Amino acid sequence: MGKYVIKGGNPLVGEVEIGGAKNAALAILAAAIMTDDVVFIENMPDEADTNVMLQAIESIGAIVERPSRHSVRIHPSHITGYTIDNDYIRKIRASYYLLGSLLGKYKKARVVPPGGCTIGLRPIDQHIKGFTALGAELHNEEGGIIDARADKLEGNHIYLDVVSVGATINIMMAASMAEGKTIIENAAKEPHVVDLANFLNSMGADIKGAGTDVVKINGVKKLHGTEYTIIPDQIEAGTFMVAAAATKGDITIKNVIPKHLESISAKLVEMGCQIHESDDAVRVVATKRLQNTHVKTLPYPGFPTDMQPQMTVALGLASGISIVTESIFENRFKYVNELTRMGACIKVEGSSAIVEGVDKYTGATISAPDLRAGAALVIAALTAEGFSTVEDIMYIERGYEDFDKKLRDLGGHIEKVDSEYDATKFKLKNA
Ligand code: EPZ
């Protein structure tokens, strides 16, 4: 199981390398099986979620080689089945991307319903709307398996009722091998949506407009192999930016695309941080107490919902009162209870948290409720007075590679322990 034991109070200082984007990698791994040629992908993050996705495509016969920790070679021609159903795939959200890719290539797919962080109801009605518009028939089998099949897929004009990253990605994949033209209106514009479109186009797809709210796809009969490098992880980068701000540190975050971080940088400047940008790095310096501000999460290029918990932790230490409004998911403030136990003064009213800055957090035993909230609570513990223990870290390890090591290399006193004995040893060493 594992826990993190943390001794707070040290500013984080130094350099950190950002890995490949988890949410791009999950979509790209699903899309990789749409060809029968070999696909070689670099800058693949080594995280629980991406490794589960690799196991899922192996489970239907694809051969997967790992020439290095961050590269993968996939041989999809060996695929013999189209049913994705096992315990581990039920845990991750992105399992449903295999609906879009299998349906696009084989015109049939049977996939377990998506799991993922419990931050809201997370329906998939827009995915179903898109697949149906392309000519597929979907129904739920007992046990929850979603069965999707089509005699053929035909392009259509699809208007998403809500800006959905997953639905945009899933429909894009299915439409890329449909007959004729598909237009997706009100499409999501996140960097990982664009990365998937670029990946599919490198395989011979014909997708235009990704990154805008109108994506146009001319279906093709076949997709060919490719070699591709995944973009850096916007949210991992943002997490370290906020960690620098909250611990009054000075961190240079390397291997990033600064444009993807603009909304986060802008907020940190409002809070009194200095931001220095270069071509592929962002340096965050926070020497004085943070100032309050207001944050509202929005689809890209707005402030990312996946950065909401981290930002709330930092604002919880800022001077004055801040308001954080979560407009994407309906239940993404669960971590506030844990943070309150560390001394935070936050009141959740509907979709907003009213945050009254306190001078410090105090170490406590806390539990990670989901991936990004877990990372945020680690940041809180790194600022806190005394020792903290963060439990349920499997959520954090789903989307952050070597999280504790990267924080240790920045001067953070954090260790992953598997026993009370090791926890005690850490506390004695850092007393
Ligand atoms: C993706 O989730 C990400 N996950 C999430 O990141 C991220 O928070 C989210 O996009 C928003 O950016 C992956 O990429 C694996 P949505 P997704 O469809 O696709 C509603 C992380 O921490 N909606 O954009 O599930 C939905 O309920 C994770 O890495 C419908 O109503 O998000 C939500 O309110 C957490 N019907 C809103 O749209 C649908 O059919 C946005 O959801 C689909 C979505």
Side-chain angles (χ1 to χ4, degrees):
M1 284 295 277
K3 301 175 184 175
Y4 290 145
V5 185
I6 296 165
K7 168 82 183 294
N10 265 36
L12 297 182
V13 178
E15 295 186 347
V16 63
E17 280 278 342
I18 297 304
K22 165 181 85 83
N23 292 344
L26 291 167
I28 285 169
L29 287 174
I33 64 163
M34 296 182 77
T35 175
D36 283 328
D37 299 340
V38 176
V39 173
F40 183 66
I41 303 165
E42 292 186 294
N43 206 29
M44 173 64 63
D46 179 14
E47 293 157 354
D49 272 16
T50 44
N51 292 333
V52 164
M53 185 60 104
L54 283 165
Q55 288 166 336
I57 62 177
E58 280 183 308
S59 73
I60 52 173
I63 292 175
V64 173
E65 298 167 321
R66 301 291 297 255
S68 71
R69 183 179 185 190
H70 296 124
S71 66
V72 62
R73 183 177 294 111
I74 298 169
H75 304 255
S77 60
H78 300 265
I79 288 176
T80 54
Y82 55 90
T83 298
I84 304 286
D85 178 17
N86 43 48
D87 290 345
Y88 33 73
I89 194 76
R90 286 177 183 274
K91 294 190 179 72
I92 73 168
R93 181 90 199 140
S95 55
Y96 60 16
Y97 288 156
L98 289 162
L99 271 175
S101 60
L102 289 166
L103 191 61
K105 181 180 183 184
Y106 299 111
K107 311 301 182 270
K108 53 188 174 187
R110 295 179 66 248
V111 180
V112 293
C117 294
T118 52
I119 51 180
L121 289 173
R122 306 186 81 176
I124 61 167
D125 57 303
Q126 298 301 301
H127 302 241
I128 292 166
K129 172 179 181 174
F131 294 147
T132 307
L134 295 173
E137 283 184 23
L138 289 91
H139 70 271
N140 284 321
E141 297 175 3
E142 77 281 352
I145 291 253
I146 302 167
D147 182 284
R149 53 193 69 221
D151 296 333
K152 67 176 179 175
L153 294 177
E154 285 184 298
N156 206 334
H157 195 152
I158 299 161
Y159 193 98
L160 293 181
D161 302 334
V162 59
V163 176
S164 162
V165 167
T168 304
I169 284 175
N170 240 340
I171 296 164
M172 193 192 285
M173 284 192 288
S176 61
M177 293 187 79
E179 291 177 22
K181 181 171 187 174
T182 295
I183 298 175
I184 306 173
E185 304 260 12
N186 203 21
K189 300 180 268 195
E190 271 69 6
H192 34 291
V193 172
V194 177
D195 210 26
L196 173 71
N198 292 338
F199 174 74
L200 284 167
N201 284 339
S202 79
M203 294 168 78
D206 178 0
I207 301 170
K208 293 184 178 60
T212 74
D213 47 14
V214 182
V215 179
K216 295 176 180 170
I217 303 135
N218 289 309
V220 295
K221 285 196 180 337
K222 268 178 85 67
L223 294 173
H224 55 69
T226 185
E227 295 196 0
Y228 196 80
T229 300
I230 292 171
I231 54 169
D233 194 312
Q234 166 203 31
I235 306 301
E236 184 192 16
T239 302
F240 282 98
M241 291 170 73
V242 172
T247 61
K248 295 200 187 73
D250 177 349
I251 303 180
T252 299
I253 297 107
K254 301 173 73 176
N255 186 31
V256 298
I257 299 173
K259 173 120 188 83
H260 293 166
L261 305 171
E262 279 179 349
S263 63
I264 302 163
S265 299
K267 276 300 157 191
L268 291 177
V269 167
E270 284 176 30
M271 295 160 68
C273 297
Q274 298 155 41
I275 303 279
H276 309 283
E277 284 183 10
S278 60
D279 288 349
D280 62 355
V282 169
R283 181 182 171 198
V284 179
V285 185
T287 48
K288 55 188 191 307
R289 184 175 187 186
L290 298 172
Q291 294 148 27
N292 64 320
T293 187
H294 304 317
V295 177
K296 179 173 183 179
T297 66
L298 287 168
Y300 189 84
F303 189 87
T305 176
D306 291 349
M307 285 298 305
Q308 180 260 91
Q310 302 90 315
M311 186 53 87
T312 304
V313 162
L315 289 170
L317 294 168
S319 58
I321 291 178
S322 304
I323 298 175
V324 179
T325 300
E326 172 57 58
S327 75
I328 307 292
F329 290 106
E330 63 271 26
N331 188 18
R332 199 163 200 174
F333 285 118
K334 284 187 305 215
Y335 63 93
V336 168
N337 292 337
E338 300 294 289
L339 203 50
T340 305
R341 293 176 51 234
M342 299 179 76
C345 182
I346 302 174
K347 188 163 174 41
V348 177
E349 296 273 356
S351 63
S352 291
I354 295 123
V355 185
E356 187 176 346
V358 296
D359 292 338
K360 63 178 172 60
Y361 295 135
T362 307
T365 296
I366 46 187
S367 163
D370 59 66
L371 164 56
R372 304 301 175 184
L377 291 171
V378 168
I379 293 173
L382 287 165
T383 72
E385 192 173 70
F387 289 96
S388 298
T389 300
V390 181
E391 300 176 332
D392 299 321
I393 62 171
M394 67 283 190
Y395 289 114
I396 303 172
E397 293 179 330
R398 289 183 47 188
Y400 289 93
E401 181 184 308
D402 297 342
F403 194 47
D404 55 317
K405 180 180 182 313
K406 289 183 176 182
L407 290 165
R408 238 184 342 269
D409 292 347
L410 290 166
H413 291 182
I414 174 174
E415 249 174 61
K416 180 177 175 180
V417 297
D418 292 310
S419 68
E420 277 314 304
Y421 173 77
D422 290 341
T424 307
K425 255 177 62 180
F426 173 88
K427 288 177 181 174
L428 289 172
K429 191 170 73 176
N430 290 283

